[in-house]
Amino acid sequence: MHPNDGVSFTSSSLKIPLPSSSPSLSQALASQLARTGHSVFQLIDSLRNRSNYVRNPLSRSTESTQSDLGISSLFRSSPLLFSLSLSLTRSTDPTQNHNIAKSPLLCSASLSLTQPASTDSTQSGSELPQKGQSATAGRHDEERVLISEVLVRNKDGEELEMKDLEMEALTALKACRANSALTVREVQEDVHRIIDSGYFSSCMPVAVDTRDGIRLVFQVEPNQEFHGLVCEGANVLPSKFLEDAFRDGHGKVVNLKRLDEVINSINGWYMERGLFGLVSGVDILSGGIIRLQVAEAEVNNISIRFLDRKTGEPCKGKTKPETILRQLTTKKGQVYSMLQGKRDVDTVSTMGLMEDVSIIPQPAGDAGKVDLIMNVVERPSGGFSAGGGISSGITSGPLSGLIGSFAYSHRNLFGRNQKLNISLERGQIDSIFRINYTDPWIEGDDKRTSRTIIVQNSRTPGTLVHGNLHDNSSLSIGRVTAGVEFSRPIRPKWNGTAGLIFQHAGARDEKGNPIIKDFYGSPLTASGKPYDDMLLAKFESVYTGSGDQGSSMFAFNMEQGLPVMPEWLFFNRVNARARKGVEIGPARLLLSLSGGHVVGNFSPHEAFAIGGTNSVRGYEEGAVGSGRSYVVGSSEVSFPMVGPVEGVMFADYGHDLWSGPNVPGDPAGARFKPGSGYGYGFGIRVESPLGPLRLEYAFNDRQAKRFHFGVGHRN
């Protein structure tokens, strides 16, 4: 079949019929077969009456040979005729469009037996139902007639032009063989087998008496040859899919079984994609043209219905409906997809505004269309909260690393999903005050761009790079930061962020006084002043895979210092992280690699610190090295133990790529940091509402041992 010969595709609006109150196909077929059986029983009674009359002793003197002519005269003068009509039906129920199942092509065959009318009183009397007829039906079905020859011919009694069709019909026969004794039921079953082969539209068995015996001829009418295809209503079904499905049948006799397989494959194509569509009608037109009618349920309208959290009754929502609707990829006029609907439900759920989200499709007023109702239950919009945590940068002191926090948040400002967070965190040294405003989708933007405005005043430990002072007092880094960031999806599973951030940063002692040099006389700022000022242009691209901790991930971050003012720092810093998880039976192998490099004039406290809970375990925080460059690799094998507890074995390695001396003041060299090191160990992890609680015991290459405790996944 040539790619486009005789094939055309048209679209038309289809009306999906309402459920009918007519009997089902199986009931109609059962009724027809019952009537057929009744006719068979009547005919057999007639034959028995006739045979008894011929063999009556009172008649033998005048017709001594009639006993030999009973069956043969029956087939010669009153041939037993089976006629079978075929219809194609397909069950559709528009009220169940959301759960489309396979709807195979159904062949309904009605069988009737006819016999020429006779003036013989005995025969005419046999047309009436006989008393006790149903009781003797099984015996009548078992009466056999010897068949000497079985042939397949066309409806005119001539040989078929296509011998392969004749072989198909003969192959389909099971009981009807030459020199076999057959019952009416066995002939009837073989008629159905010929029709079930799919190549013939009708089949009529005719028994003819010959001098060699009774010849059984199956007169068949083959289906038309396939010469073209017309498909109506298939708006989303690819034309190539149809061309490939029908390509091998061009110029050949239509096989209804093969046609049914094609229809099932079309319905399967819709099901695999969760689309509301199926083949609703099939016709074979004159000239061998097959016409397929496809019903696709288009989305007519999408509405949002808010439900009360306690009663489940409809109520007035705080979120503007357009804020939810713009999150949906399902649009009016397209064929509804259940898979796409599920993704829309997940998208609305990730907004963080809803406790429950569901989509209910309902038949629309227009035939062939569907209305979508999204039910949502809103969460409380926000409020005050308090909590605590642990900082990995504190390694000594009675309250090592403990942090308390207090926050106010509103996750749905103005009903537009805009978020405001004001938080304060305070620890032994750590202190962060942050105001964060986020609009997750800027109004009027069609690229789903979000905007975040940040104002932050923080104080973090400086021990990662500079360690403690000579009297074991601590050093901290104070930063005042303000900026704006824009983020948007780049492609599936990829997200990009760009921003502009101003930072004012410097070192302080325990009393909060600014200092410019450490105990070794190394500078703590790049400018030589108590504070360094910088304007950072930021770009970040993240690939998240499935989003799970064990899935693939890649992140690339670049910051460029812009010397808008002469004293502002000018530098470039790049950082990259990659992660790959592999399932090994019940265990999981997690490989991670990170690295970075900075060039230009930058603050010493901004150097890359190596070592610690989130870097090389077995070392204190930043104890391996501090450099302009770094690389850290890690491998972990985790395995389930009991309930939420899992065990883990790990190995880490880090190196500053010999860049420690290039940091202003060489803080790593002054503190005799090795610049490279590895650690290994084991531990347990427990799932908690705060994230995984990690307790690990590690050994390093310097024969030191160390416990590490953390909350959440490693960076």
Side-chain angles (χ1 to χ4, degrees), residues 81 113 122 152 184 195 213 226 238 337 405 414 456 467 515 545 566 646 664:
L81 305 180
L113 295 88
T122 305
V152 175
V184 172
I195 293 298
F226 173 58
S337 166
S405 65
F414 315 115
Q456 178 177 295
I515 53 178
E646 65 178 15

Side-chain angles (χ1 to χ4, degrees), residues 170-192:
L170 290 173
T171 302
L173 299 177
K174 181 178 181 181
C176 297
R177 294 288 187 268
N179 301 319
S180 59
L182 305 176
T183 65
V184 172
R185 182 178 299 277
E186 289 173 336
V187 176
Q188 175 184 352
E189 290 173 352
D190 273 353
V191 169
H192 281 284

Side-chain angles (χ1 to χ4, degrees), residues 27-226:
Q27 293 174 337
L29 182 57
S31 175
Q32 182 62 45
L33 291 178
R35 292 195 297 271
T36 300
H38 181 71
S39 300
V40 172
F41 300 148
Q42 282 187 329
L43 180 57
I44 292 177
D45 278 338
S46 174
L47 299 183
R48 288 179 57 81
N49 291 338
R50 178 174 179 177
S51 178
N52 291 337
Y53 174 77
V54 171
R55 298 186 181 189
N56 194 312
L58 298 178
S59 305
R60 286 184 179 178
S61 59
T62 57
E63 299 184 39
S64 59
T65 62
Q66 282 194 2
S67 60
D68 299 328
L69 301 176
I71 300 300
S72 61
S73 63
L74 162 70
F75 285 99
R76 182 174 62 254
S77 60
S78 302
L80 183 62
L81 305 180
F82 293 82
S83 64
L84 186 143
S85 61
L86 182 70
S87 62
L88 307 179
T89 63
R90 181 166 297 279
S91 173
T92 59
D93 186 351
T95 65
Q96 301 296 329
N97 280 345
H98 63 282
N99 189 18
I100 301 175
K102 288 187 177 181
S103 180
L105 189 65
L106 303 178
C107 296
S108 172
S110 61
L111 183 68
S112 62
L113 295 88
T114 62
Q115 190 171 20
S118 174
T119 58
D120 187 284
S121 60
T122 305
Q123 292 182 10
S124 62
S126 69
E127 295 176 1
L128 299 175
Q130 302 296 317
K131 184 177 181 179
Q133 181 177 18
S134 60
T136 60
R139 187 181 71 231
H140 292 169
D141 282 349
E142 297 304 321
E143 292 189 1
R144 297 182 176 275
V145 176
L146 183 62
I147 302 299
S148 63
E149 188 178 8
V150 178
L151 299 176
V152 175
R153 295 290 184 263
N154 63 19
K155 61 181 180 178
D156 297 325
E158 301 173 351
E159 292 187 4
L160 296 178
E161 294 181 1
M162 291 178 283
K163 293 301 180 181
D164 55 339
L165 290 181
E166 180 179 340
M167 291 304 300
E168 291 287 348
L170 290 173
T171 302
L173 299 177
K174 181 178 181 181
C176 297
R177 294 288 187 268
N179 301 319
S180 59
L182 305 176
T183 65
V184 172
R185 182 178 299 277
E186 289 173 336
V187 176
Q188 175 184 352
E189 290 173 352
D190 273 353
V191 169
H192 281 284
R193 291 188 182 99
I194 290 177
I195 293 298
D196 288 343
S197 70
Y199 289 99
F200 307 99
S201 60
S202 67
C203 177
M204 180 168 56
V206 178
V208 181
D209 187 20
T210 69
R211 65 181 181 178
D212 296 327
I214 296 176
R215 176 188 299 155
L216 181 58
V217 180
F218 290 94
Q219 294 184 353
V220 298
E221 182 177 359
N223 296 325
Q224 299 183 65
E225 292 184 357
F226 173 58

Side-chain angles (χ1 to χ4, degrees), residues 454-466:
I454 305 169
V455 177
Q456 178 177 295
N457 186 355
S458 66
R459 182 183 178 191
T460 57
T463 55
L464 295 179
V465 175
H466 296 278

Side-chain angles (χ1 to χ4, degrees), residues 268-312:
W269 185 90
Y270 283 101
M271 290 181 63
E272 289 173 1
R273 290 154 182 80
L275 296 170
F276 274 27
L278 82 165
V279 178
S280 59
V282 184
D283 294 312
I284 302 179
L285 308 178
S286 60
I289 304 298
I290 295 178
R291 181 176 65 187
L292 295 180
Q293 293 178 325
V294 178
E296 297 178 344
E298 294 182 356
V299 177
N300 178 61
N301 188 42
I302 306 175
S303 59
I304 306 297
R305 181 167 59 189
F306 294 92
L307 302 180
D308 186 83
R309 297 176 62 239
K310 297 180 179 179
T311 65

Side-chain angles (χ1 to χ4, degrees), residues 304-549:
I304 306 297
R305 181 167 59 189
F306 294 92
L307 302 180
D308 186 83
R309 297 176 62 239
K310 297 180 179 179
T311 65
E313 298 295 325
C315 64
K316 184 177 180 180
K318 298 179 181 179
T319 307
K320 294 184 179 298
E322 57 268 23
T323 300
I324 301 175
L325 291 174
R326 70 179 182 176
Q327 302 286 338
L328 308 183
T329 57
T330 301
K331 304 299 181 182
K332 295 181 181 180
Q334 73 178 64
V335 178
Y336 179 58
S337 166
M338 291 181 289
L339 297 179
Q340 190 175 5
K342 182 181 182 303
R343 289 194 295 267
D344 287 339
V345 168
D346 293 339
T347 300
V348 174
S349 297
T350 57
M351 294 172 63
L353 303 180
M354 309 301 170
E355 285 187 357
D356 186 61
V357 183
S358 62
I359 288 182
I360 301 177
Q362 294 183 343
D366 296 336
K369 294 189 177 182
V370 62
D371 286 335
L372 301 181
I373 299 177
M374 174 169 279
N375 290 329
V376 295
V377 179
E378 290 183 302
R379 298 179 185 272
S381 57
F384 292 93
S385 63
I390 296 177
S391 170
S392 61
I394 305 296
T395 60
S396 62
L399 300 177
S400 176
L402 292 181
I403 298 176
S405 65
F406 179 81
Y408 169 80
S409 64
H410 197 298
R411 63 172 60 94
N412 196 15
L413 283 175
F414 315 115
R416 297 184 179 277
N417 194 29
Q418 298 173 4
K419 297 173 173 59
L420 174 65
N421 291 282
I422 302 175
S423 63
L424 173 64
E425 297 179 2
R426 181 71 180 179
Q428 185 178 354
I429 294 180
D430 297 59
S431 175
I432 301 177
F433 175 74
R434 179 188 296 116
I435 300 176
N436 190 320
Y437 166 78
T438 300
D439 185 351
W441 192 337
I442 300 175
E443 186 174 0
D445 178 78
D446 61 349
K447 303 298 184 180
R448 305 176 71 90
T449 303
S450 67
R451 176 181 57 223
T452 300
I453 299 175
I454 305 169
V455 177
Q456 178 177 295
N457 186 355
S458 66
R459 182 183 178 191
T460 57
T463 55
L464 295 179
V465 175
H466 296 278
N468 293 326
L469 299 181
H470 65 284
D471 57 357
N472 206 33
S473 60
S474 60
L475 177 73
S476 63
I477 306 298
R479 295 180 177 89
V480 176
T481 304
V484 58
E485 294 181 352
F486 297 89
S487 180
R488 54 171 285 192
I490 300 176
R491 54 182 303 177
K493 299 183 180 181
W494 282 91
N495 193 72
T497 300
L500 198 61
I501 300 172
F502 175 79
Q503 179 174 291
H504 177 76
R508 299 180 183 181
D509 60 19
E510 279 192 330
K511 297 180 181 180
N513 299 318
I515 53 178
I516 60 175
K517 292 186 177 182
D518 65 7
F519 172 73
Y520 298 96
S522 300
L524 296 174
T525 60
S527 63
K529 299 179 181 179
Y531 292 96
D532 286 330
D533 293 326
M534 62 194 80
L535 181 64
L536 301 176
K538 174 184 176 181
F539 171 77
E540 184 177 38
S541 179
V542 179
Y543 171 84
T544 55
S546 65
D548 297 333
Q549 174 63 16

